[in-house]
Amino acid sequence: MAIANPLMNPRLVEGLKTIIFDNDGVLIDSYEANMVYYGTIRERLGLPPMDDAERYFVHSRTHDEAVRHIVPEDRLKEAFAIGATMNQADLAPYFKRSDGIREFLWWLRSAGFNLAVNTSRGESMSLVLKLTDLDDFFHPIITSCVVSKPKPHPEGVFRIMRAHGVRPDEVAYIGDSIVDQRAARAAGVRFWAYRDPALDADVHVENFWDIRAAMQRCYKGCAPAF
């Protein structure tokens, strides 16, 4: 298992032109925000708190999939109505930018890398990036609202590759769930697991300071060759 650090084999990060990020759990720590949001829906429906498996599921899937997973079918209309009345801005105190991510993004951009997002989050994505001061780094931003088949289907990754004009071997996808792993593998791109050693990944990233140091050693601050 390759762990991102300044001494790792530089071949593991060579040849890249595009870095794709998952959002929840990678760019931002949104776990608490998601637990408040989906927990509120359950509470207002008079349902018990989510168990551990349900918490994991809602944190890695689309809004539609999450609600359908934690709410009985005959209560779905009520659940979606409750969700529609909740203001995402009210969850702002629960969104936290991942440590070191902005510094990593600044370096990647200055070194000439393409940056993109492939997320299961939907319409709230632009607000979340704005609240965490990450809204000017990425293009395109692929959400569950703009694809016909969300993750783990590779459609989002394929769209990013077409937009950037890159091959699969020139792309690394940083994610934190089995859904991200499957999307990356299906698209044929490198998968870097963020803070989950149980995932099958080309590189395991514990923090963004270490992966930045590893890439700086390989690229020495210079733009990748296009």
Side-chain angles (χ1 to χ4, degrees), residues 2-225:
I3 300 175
N5 62 59
L7 299 179
M8 69 182 287
N9 188 337
R11 291 185 178 181
L12 293 169
V13 297
E14 283 179 347
L16 293 173
K17 296 181 179 179
T18 289
I19 311 294
I20 302 174
F21 293 84
D22 176 41
N23 180 61
D24 295 81
V26 177
L27 291 176
I28 62 169
D29 179 357
S30 58
Y31 184 82
E32 190 174 359
N34 284 335
M35 296 310 104
V36 170
Y37 177 83
Y38 292 108
T40 298
I41 291 177
R42 295 261 297 195
E43 181 180 10
R44 292 185 182 177
L45 290 173
L47 299 172
M50 294 181 289
D51 59 28
D52 289 343
E54 288 169 329
R55 293 188 187 98
Y56 180 84
F57 188 95
V58 300
H59 191 53
S60 61
R61 300 302 180 103
T62 68
H63 176 263
D64 185 78
E65 290 172 326
V67 173
R68 292 180 183 278
H69 186 75
I70 62 170
V71 173
E73 188 173 355
D74 61 347
R75 308 291 302 278
L76 285 175
K77 186 175 180 180
E78 294 175 76
F80 284 118
I82 292 170
T85 64
M86 296 175 66
N87 189 341
Q88 287 287 328
D90 293 338
L91 297 175
Y94 302 104
F95 289 117
K96 301 175 183 177
R97 191 169 67 217
S98 293
D99 185 43
I101 184 59
R102 203 163 194 278
E103 293 82 356
F104 183 41
L105 294 173
W106 270 109
W107 179 81
L108 287 172
R109 186 166 66 178
S110 68
F113 288 91
N114 301 310
L115 306 177
V117 171
N118 185 41
T119 177
S120 296
R121 186 173 285 273
E123 295 177 352
S124 62
M125 186 61 199
S126 59
L127 175 62
V128 169
L129 290 178
K130 184 175 182 180
L131 289 172
T132 53
D133 197 24
L134 296 176
D135 51 337
D136 294 326
F137 288 100
F138 309 103
H139 176 77
I141 297 172
I142 303 297
T143 70
S144 61
C145 298
V146 301
V147 292
S148 58
K149 296 180 179 179
K151 298 185 297 183
H153 194 278
E155 179 185 345
V157 180
F158 287 148
R159 290 180 62 164
I160 291 168
M161 287 194 291
R162 287 196 298 269
H164 292 178
V166 294
R167 303 186 307 267
D169 62 291
E170 298 171 323
V171 178
Y173 181 20
I174 305 178
D176 70 326
S177 72
I178 188 65
V179 175
D180 298 315
Q181 176 189 308
R182 289 173 178 168
R185 296 305 188 208
V189 305
R190 306 180 213 190
F191 178 60
W192 294 356
Y194 182 66
R195 305 190 76 175
D196 189 341
L199 294 173
D200 179 19
D202 301 288
V203 174
H204 285 270
V205 179
E206 180 59 30
N207 63 73
F208 289 112
W209 303 106
D210 286 347
I211 189 60
R212 185 179 75 165
M215 293 187 71
Q216 284 176 325
R217 176 171 172 255
C218 179
Y219 290 94
K220 296 180 175 61
C222 298

